[in-house]
Amino acid sequence: LLTGLDSVSTRNNALDFLVQIIVDTDPRLINGITKIVSEPETITNTNRFASALKFLSEDDFIAPLIAAISKADVDCSPWLADYMYALGSLLTDRDDPWEPEESFVHQLGLWLHSTGGGEIAWKSAIIMSRLLHPLTRDYLVRGALDQELLHLARIECINGIMNFFRSDANQLLEKLENDPDKEIRKEVARAQEWLSGHDHRLVSDAGSNA
């Protein structure tokens, strides 16, 4: 590609190829990568592969990522954290939340609360906070209150409640106002400020419509 870009005679062909990758991604390329997602054991560098999936940001990758993660073993799947990173990134890029199978929610909930509160728990929280399913509520509330979890995971749990269970948000935030972790207190203050502004806008809108 670099050689092609350097030469005037081949530059436009090289640019066309580059555009096919980063702008008008060829469906054949997406299909090929989607198949590879299902075979994580064959990938030498899953960290770079996960970054490529994030860069391409195609919805087609989500289902095979979930399928692979669902079959993973926390202790024996070295690619798991990279795949969870890719999935969390893709879900974050979506305008609409993903509706998962119930079994996947329970698996993430188990990892959130039984893996020592570190990276896998954090990435479980990231993914769960972007899933549309009623069963995520209890896991997210527990996660937000669990002081054994990394604060980043707890913040994701708070965000999940804010995103999908707004009626429960005020009660949860009140419980966390005096949390020992200053990062949690900062997030709570930010969320309460957002809710206050949102509620004010709703009242203003209602008044203008009266």
Side-chain angles (χ1 to χ4, degrees):
L1 179 58
L2 291 174
T3 301
L5 291 172
D6 282 340
S7 171
V8 174
S9 63
T10 59
R11 181 166 297 158
N12 285 299
N13 287 336
L15 286 172
D16 287 342
F17 176 67
L18 188 60
V19 168
Q20 283 186 333
I21 294 176
I22 65 176
V23 181
D24 301 319
T25 310
D26 192 318
R28 294 171 298 176
L29 177 61
I30 299 302
N31 290 336
I33 294 174
T34 300
K35 293 177 182 178
I36 295 172
V37 170
S38 302
E39 303 173 343
E41 297 85 0
T42 67
I43 304 168
T44 301
N45 192 331
T46 53
N47 184 270
R48 284 196 168 188
F49 182 60
S51 295
L53 296 179
K54 172 180 169 56
F55 174 79
L56 292 170
S57 193
E58 295 284 342
D59 275 3
D60 290 355
F61 302 149
I62 294 177
L65 279 169
I66 290 176
I69 291 168
S70 296
K71 298 175 183 177
D73 186 315
V74 171
D75 299 316
C76 302
S77 300
W79 45 266
L80 176 59
D82 294 331
Y83 264 44
M84 294 181 78
Y85 163 77
L87 177 58
S89 298
L90 293 175
L91 294 175
T92 299
D93 288 345
R94 282 174 56 87
D95 292 329
D96 300 317
W98 187 268
E99 297 185 40
E101 297 292 335
E102 180 177 322
S103 58
F104 189 58
V105 175
H106 287 309
Q107 183 172 27
L108 293 174
L110 176 64
W111 287 348
L112 176 62
H113 295 292
S114 68
T115 55
E119 182 180 20
I120 295 299
W122 172 35
K123 289 178 176 176
S124 295
I126 291 173
I127 295 169
M128 191 179 294
S129 70
R130 289 154 178 81
L131 298 178
L132 180 61
H133 198 289
L135 291 178
T136 63
R137 178 193 173 278
D138 288 347
Y139 289 120
L140 292 170
V141 169
R142 285 175 54 200
L145 296 170
D146 188 352
Q147 296 179 17
E148 298 300 316
L149 291 179
L150 188 69
H151 76 270
L152 294 170
R154 298 178 67 195
I155 287 172
E156 291 295 341
C157 290
I158 293 171
N159 290 338
I161 293 297
M162 293 285 290
N163 288 339
F164 299 116
F165 305 99
R166 194 71 52 77
S167 62
D168 296 310
N170 279 319
Q171 183 179 4
L172 175 64
L173 295 174
E174 287 174 3
K175 292 180 180 179
L176 293 169
E177 282 180 332
N178 298 312
D179 192 87
D181 192 316
K182 69 176 182 179
E183 296 299 329
I184 298 300
R185 296 196 302 272
K186 286 167 57 177
E187 181 65 21
V188 167
R190 184 200 65 77
Q192 288 175 327
E193 181 179 1
W194 187 91
L195 283 175
S196 177
H198 185 68
D199 290 343
H200 175 73
R201 286 194 297 274
L202 288 177
V203 172
S204 298
D205 291 344
S208 65
N209 292 332

